[in-house]
Amino acid sequence: MPKTYISELAKGFYLLRVDDEKVKYFEGLWYIPEGISYNAYLMVSNEKTILFDGWKYSYEKEFLETLSKLVDPKKIDSIIIHHAEPDHSGTLAKLLEINGSKTEVYGHTLAKKMLEGFYKVKLNFKDVVDGQELDIAGNRLKFIYTALLHWPETIMTYIAQDGILLSGDAFGAYSMPEKLFDEDEETVLKYLPFAKKYLVTVIGHYREHIVKNIEKLDKLGLDIRLLVPLHGLVWKKNPRVIIDYYKRWAQAVPEKNKIVIIYSSMYGFVDKAVLMAAKELDQKGYKTLIYKFTDTNYAPISDILGEVIDAQGIILGTGVYEADLFPYMRHFIDLLIEKADSPRPILILSSYGWGNVVRKKIEERFKGSKFKLIDIIDFQGLPDGEVEYRIREGVKNFLNADFRGLHADGLG
């Protein structure tokens, strides 16, 4: 049985959480052995009962059981949809079936079409627009349109009397935190890497919209005392912590002296070159994280993406495979540009057998990105003394690169 939780966050306002330890690849893409939680929220008063979102369809039975501990599901008067993705709306079809058409469903107009398409239901749907305020049983709800965090229909809801911001997928994270709240520093420090990994993999393509929407929230001057996302920790001790980290990661602010190395090596040739570069970095006092794709180890791409977003620089190593880059490195580079494109220096190390195609293929892939290719150090077979010298020089130029404003328009 999955772990479920109920917690009263404010008077009449409840968290309903379930931990999904069965999921291994979120969205069928991202390896998350840490699991993930789904959060829904319930507001109960003498006059009306409002449900905010739901859980993944896999937990429909548990959702209705958990909800029933607080209220008869047939007495849900209104449902607010912040994000129509099925990991938050999958349990709603059954709830609506129980309720019939009497329950009013509020959300962005795009959500109606999505939900009716996903679940083949007819909704008693009420469109909401940016800035709209609505009184439901004495609760003043303000709707804020936050497009592309991370679908185009996403909204947030602010409840002024309690200072509650229901933030949808924004400010969420992977993992199943042992605590429900940001109650101590240890909990937060353990949690932040999962939040960064989540941001890059799930919302990375739309990072500029994270910044725009945080600035929008700031301009509204909201008194946020309780920040409640659809995944992970509830923030009540200091909600600003996760907001500021999200902005920092979205802007790809680098951590000083952090270098991430990602490489493939079929027979150990690239591996030796990477060790030469890592030794040079270590001697210069840099913090180096190394991820590899070899015959004995395949690093999770989700973990790598979570680390590259705030690296000062990136080193990539690849062999040649069927007149192209090693396939997994091709795949990784595409995702790197898609999810974590930022003005960072990149150094390439490449070994080839009979045909050297890496330079052309690499330049083609990075063309138009924000990354800056500092050097491509290619060599045949094992790296020798001359290659080691080139690597040391390449690392020196790589570390001297000013990443600010760099663009990958070719080698510099």
Side-chain angles (χ1 to χ4, degrees):
M1 289 288 293
K3 289 183 179 179
T4 60
Y5 307 81
I6 296 174
S7 179
E8 189 172 18
L9 306 179
K11 187 177 180 180
F13 184 81
Y14 297 88
L15 162 71
L16 289 72
R17 169 178 146 180
V18 63
D19 288 348
D20 187 353
E21 58 184 20
K22 294 186 296 184
V23 64
K24 293 292 179 280
Y25 295 90
F26 190 71
E27 299 180 328
L29 280 171
W30 313 115
Y31 181 53
I32 53 165
E34 62 270 22
I36 195 168
S37 69
Y38 310 114
N39 301 336
Y41 301 92
L42 187 71
M43 181 172 281
V44 181
S45 72
N46 293 330
E47 301 172 57
K48 295 279 186 179
T49 301
I50 309 169
L51 177 66
F52 301 90
D53 303 293
W55 293 349
K56 188 178 179 182
Y57 66 91
S58 311
Y59 299 103
E60 179 181 87
K61 177 176 175 288
E62 291 82 0
F63 178 71
L64 291 172
E65 289 174 352
T66 304
L67 186 62
S68 296
K69 292 177 182 179
L70 295 171
V71 66
D72 182 347
K74 293 180 181 179
K75 295 183 179 179
I76 300 294
D77 299 290
S78 305
I79 301 174
I80 311 294
I81 301 295
H82 294 102
H83 179 33
E85 196 167 7
D87 57 333
H88 307 299
S89 64
T91 56
L92 299 183
K94 186 64 176 179
L95 181 61
L96 291 170
E97 179 186 316
I98 292 171
N99 280 13
S101 61
K102 75 177 183 68
T103 299
E104 296 178 327
V105 180
Y106 293 86
H108 188 275
T109 185
L110 291 173
K112 178 179 186 291
K113 185 176 181 180
M114 290 179 185
L115 293 170
E116 290 185 341
F118 291 165
Y119 307 117
K120 311 309 175 193
V121 294
K122 288 296 181 183
L123 303 175
N124 180 10
F125 197 86
K126 311 291 183 182
D127 292 346
V128 300
V129 297
D130 188 34
Q132 178 180 344
E133 296 189 6
L134 185 68
D135 276 316
I136 301 181
N139 297 296
R140 191 72 172 171
L141 279 55
K142 182 183 182 69
F143 300 109
I144 306 163
Y145 184 39
T146 52
L148 299 176
L149 294 187
H150 60 117
W151 280 13
E153 89 302 353
T154 52
I155 62 171
M156 296 184 185
T157 301
Y158 179 63
I159 306 173
Q161 61 264 39
D162 294 309
I164 300 172
L165 181 67
L166 295 111
S167 63
D169 262 358
F171 313 124
Y174 296 128
S175 79
M176 301 175 293
E178 295 176 3
K179 307 285 181 68
L180 297 180
F181 316 106
D182 59 326
E183 58 189 63
D184 56 71
E185 185 178 4
E186 182 181 355
T187 295
V188 172
L189 289 176
K190 183 178 179 181
Y191 179 76
L192 287 175
F194 298 121
K196 182 171 61 168
K197 174 180 172 180
Y198 172 86
L199 178 146
V200 180
T201 54
V202 176
I203 321 177
H205 182 71
Y206 302 109
R207 283 187 294 123
E208 65 184 82
H209 295 278
I210 296 173
V211 177
K212 289 178 181 177
N213 281 297
I214 289 175
E215 291 173 348
K216 179 177 182 176
L217 292 175
D218 288 342
K219 287 178 181 177
L220 289 172
L222 306 178
D223 176 23
I224 303 171
R225 285 166 274 150
L226 191 63
L227 194 158
V228 293
L230 291 178
H231 297 290
L233 285 179
V234 166
W235 295 81
K236 68 175 183 178
K237 184 177 180 180
N238 189 356
R240 193 71 214 184
V241 167
I242 192 63
I243 295 172
D244 289 343
Y245 268 106
Y246 253 63
K247 188 172 183 179
R248 179 183 180 88
W249 296 328
Q251 292 174 322
V253 176
E255 179 184 325
K256 187 178 180 182
N257 290 349
K258 176 182 176 180
I259 306 296
V260 178
I261 300 176
I262 309 102
Y263 74 96
S264 65
S265 188
M266 290 179 283
Y267 299 109
F269 300 158
V270 176
D271 188 84
K272 290 184 181 298
V274 164
L275 290 176
M276 292 173 181
K279 180 181 178 182
E280 190 73 11
L281 290 165
D282 183 63
Q283 289 175 349
K284 294 181 182 298
Y286 283 79
K287 172 189 173 183
T288 306
L289 301 178
I290 301 177
Y291 298 93
K292 57 187 176 181
F293 310 123
T294 69
D295 57 356
T296 60
N297 189 85
Y298 257 50
I301 285 181
S302 51
D303 288 350
I304 304 171
L305 291 174
E307 292 296 343
V308 296
I309 195 65
D310 59 359
Q312 184 173 312
I314 301 167
I315 296 178
L316 301 176
T318 181
V320 175
Y321 191 91
E322 295 178 347
D324 206 333
L325 306 180
F326 184 74
Y328 223 62
M329 287 305 295
R330 288 204 311 266
H331 176 56
F332 172 74
I333 289 169
D334 288 346
L335 287 173
L336 175 68
I337 294 169
E338 175 76 11
K339 296 288 188 177
D341 194 15
S342 55
R344 291 288 187 277
I346 288 186
L347 177 65
I348 307 294
L349 308 176
S350 175
S351 174
Y352 63 92
W354 67 87
N356 184 10
V357 298
V358 167
R359 182 173 296 268
K360 179 182 177 183
K361 298 292 185 180
I362 284 285
E363 289 181 339
E364 286 175 352
R365 268 192 150 70
F366 280 98
K367 186 178 181 181
S369 82
K370 297 176 183 177
F371 292 109
K372 176 67 174 181
L373 299 176
I374 302 302
D375 199 356
I376 298 176
I377 299 172
D378 43 18
F379 50 92
Q380 189 169 28
L382 280 169
D384 55 17
E386 187 270 335
V387 171
E388 184 173 6
Y389 172 78
R390 289 170 58 200
I391 289 174
R392 288 201 304 269
E393 289 298 300
V395 168
K396 181 173 72 175
N397 293 332
F398 167 76
L399 295 177
N400 287 337
D402 182 355
F403 61 84
R404 291 168 296 183
L406 293 180
H407 295 275
D409 296 324
L411 294 178

